[in-house]
Amino acid sequence: MKSLIDTYTLNNGVKIPIIGFGTWQTPAGAIAKVAVKSALSSGYRHIDTAEMYGNEKSVGLAIKESGISRSSLFITSKLDNYAHSYEKATEAINKSLEDLQVSYLDLFLIHWPNPKAFRDEEWEKHLQDTWRALEDAYKVGKLKAIGVSNFKQHHFDILKQTQTINPMVNQIRVCPGDYNNKLIDYCKNEGILVEAYSPLGTGKIFKDKTIKLIAEKNDKTIAQICLRWSLQHGLLPLPKSIHEDRIEENSHLFDFELSTDDMTTIDKLEGIVGYVADPDLAEF
Ligand SMILES: NC(=O)c1ccc[n+]([C@@H]2O[C@H](COP(=O)([O-])OP(=O)(O)OC[C@H]3O[C@@H](n4cnc5c(N)ncnc54)[C@H](OP(=O)(O)O)[C@@H]3O)[C@@H](O)[C@H]2O)c1
């Protein structure tokens, strides 16, 4: 690991830059455009957005105006929760392509496995039909890789009953204090890359005293310690910021290494940023 553009290789051979730039809660318009352009200037080449974030058009514009060639970029989007059917998912994929002004996406994910709107009516079948839409878009080259987000093992079991393509990615919340060992090991054993969303606990990590001490000892910032911890676990962190100086700071992760002791200390933290919502009970 030497730079932001080092890559992991997905189970279909596609290469994915080891850090993605997050855009959840980044308002559409000027703020999103400036944030994405700052990230690209700092050397990020992997941008993570979603239909639900409402900022795909702004992300697309920023990418276009950056002048960086499409083939040097890795762009991810995710399916909105209303679209859990073959037809709606197909339409939603086309809409993402249009809004982002691209002819293909590098990665497209099912955002949540069991949206509230489908929970009482055969949500498992909806999930299988939705995955089939992703598989078909993958087969015709609109999506270079496909995956899921917020999936636990039993959601993968449902896909397995009908899938013809194994998911390449599971994007889940991973931050010091919220590390689901069992699920991460399951994904690794299945050849599914784990992307770590909210690697800074959506901003809640900055009050933690243990990480602060480790940061001081290593002469690094709290954000850099968390992101480095994620990378040393073989995960792909997705830090978000709308501030140029923080975007830059979050990219400087390759001139130090956390010791085994520091890794173990961080691994032992429990619940310091709370825990992720249960995808089978979430209110959306
Ligand atoms: N698949 C999913 O369901 C899902 C769910 C959540 C997130 N995600 C993805 O993961 C990305 C990151 O997660 P997240 O948005 O929850 O947040 P995060 O990256 O864990 O934390 C972002 C927060 O930390 C602040 N911050 C960032 N860098 C900082 C630094 N160096 N120093 C101090 N503060 C800093 C940001 O503030 P400013 O912006 O004001 O700088 C923001 O408040 C998302 O943007 C999204 O792409 C996916």
Side-chain angles (χ1 to χ4, degrees), residues 24 48 149-150 171 198 200 202 238 240-241 243 246 250:
W24 177 42
D48 184 83
S149 177
N150 296 296
Q171 184 180 118
S198 304
L200 311 174
T202 318
L238 301 166
K240 170 263 176 186
S241 176
H243 293 100
R246 294 175 174 177
N250 297 348

Side-chain angles (χ1 to χ4, degrees), residues 19 36 69 86 99 112 124 133 165 169 215 224 244 254:
I19 297 186
V36 172
S69 71
Y86 183 88
D99 285 353
W112 288 87
E124 295 94 335
I165 299 171
V169 164
Q224 288 166 337
E244 200 176 338
F254 304 100

Side-chain angles (χ1 to χ4, degrees), residues 41-284:
S41 299
S42 289
Y44 297 76
R45 289 294 176 268
H46 173 177
I47 310 291
D48 184 83
T49 182
E51 292 167 358
M52 264 185 231
Y53 303 168
N55 57 19
E56 285 174 302
K57 283 187 181 169
S58 310
V59 170
L61 273 175
I63 287 169
K64 201 163 190 190
E65 288 173 15
S66 77
I68 296 172
S69 71
R70 178 69 187 90
S71 59
S72 317
L73 294 169
F74 193 101
I75 308 171
T76 300
S77 194
K78 320 184 191 81
L79 188 74
D80 202 339
N81 278 0
Y82 77 87
H84 275 224
S85 75
Y86 183 88
E87 292 74 20
K88 284 188 186 145
T90 304
E91 280 169 26
I93 291 165
N94 291 335
K95 176 87 168 41
S96 274
L97 292 170
E98 196 182 308
D99 285 353
L100 283 156
Q101 299 189 54
V102 291
S103 58
Y104 67 90
L105 281 166
D106 297 280
L107 176 64
F108 194 80
L109 308 175
I110 296 181
H111 207 148
W112 288 87
N114 185 2
K116 193 174 182 197
F118 299 95
R119 223 164 268 162
D120 296 332
E121 39 149 333
E122 298 186 316
W123 65 269
E124 295 94 335
K125 182 174 179 317
H126 280 280
L127 186 60
Q128 291 167 341
D129 289 348
T130 303
W131 183 249
R132 192 160 47 85
L134 267 67
E135 289 183 333
D136 285 353
Y138 173 76
K139 286 174 190 163
V140 297
K142 287 182 183 177
L143 310 175
K144 300 294 177 195
I146 51 177
V148 297
S149 177
N150 296 296
F151 267 46
K152 292 170 143 181
Q153 188 175 335
H154 66 278
H155 302 119
F156 286 107
D157 293 339
I158 290 162
L159 285 195
K160 275 186 179 169
Q161 292 167 13
T162 54
Q163 74 185 28
T164 60
I165 299 171
N166 207 21
M168 287 128 208
V169 164
N170 189 16
Q171 184 180 118
I172 56 175
R173 187 176 191 254
V174 188
C175 177
D178 188 9
Y179 187 98
N180 186 337
N181 237 320
K182 217 173 133 198
L183 180 59
I184 290 171
D185 284 351
Y186 169 81
C187 290
K188 285 186 176 173
N189 288 334
E190 293 282 317
I192 297 168
L193 179 75
V194 175
E195 293 188 344
Y197 79 64
S198 304
L200 311 174
T202 318
K204 293 194 197 112
I205 199 71
F206 295 97
K207 290 187 188 131
D208 185 72
K209 292 197 176 80
T210 307
I211 310 257
K212 192 163 180 272
L213 281 175
I214 294 176
E216 284 165 4
K217 193 177 79 181
N218 284 276
D219 201 17
K220 292 288 157 193
T221 66
I222 289 177
Q224 288 166 337
I225 296 297
C226 295
L227 298 171
R228 182 73 207 190
W229 170 82
S230 198
L231 287 172
Q232 285 184 219
H233 272 299
L235 309 176
L236 191 157
L238 301 166
K240 170 263 176 186
S241 176
I242 55 168
H243 293 100
E244 200 176 338
D245 52 342
R246 294 175 174 177
I247 292 170
E248 177 73 20
E249 172 191 324
N250 297 348
S251 73
H252 291 288
L253 309 173
F254 304 100
D255 58 352
F256 75 109
E257 189 170 356
L258 289 171
S259 67
T260 308
D261 277 359
D262 286 345
M263 287 296 287
T264 308
T265 304
I266 300 173
D267 288 347
K268 284 186 182 151
L269 296 170
E270 278 290 340
I272 54 170
V273 291
Y275 292 101
V276 66
D278 184 330
D280 295 312
L281 301 174
E283 286 296 314
F284 45 84

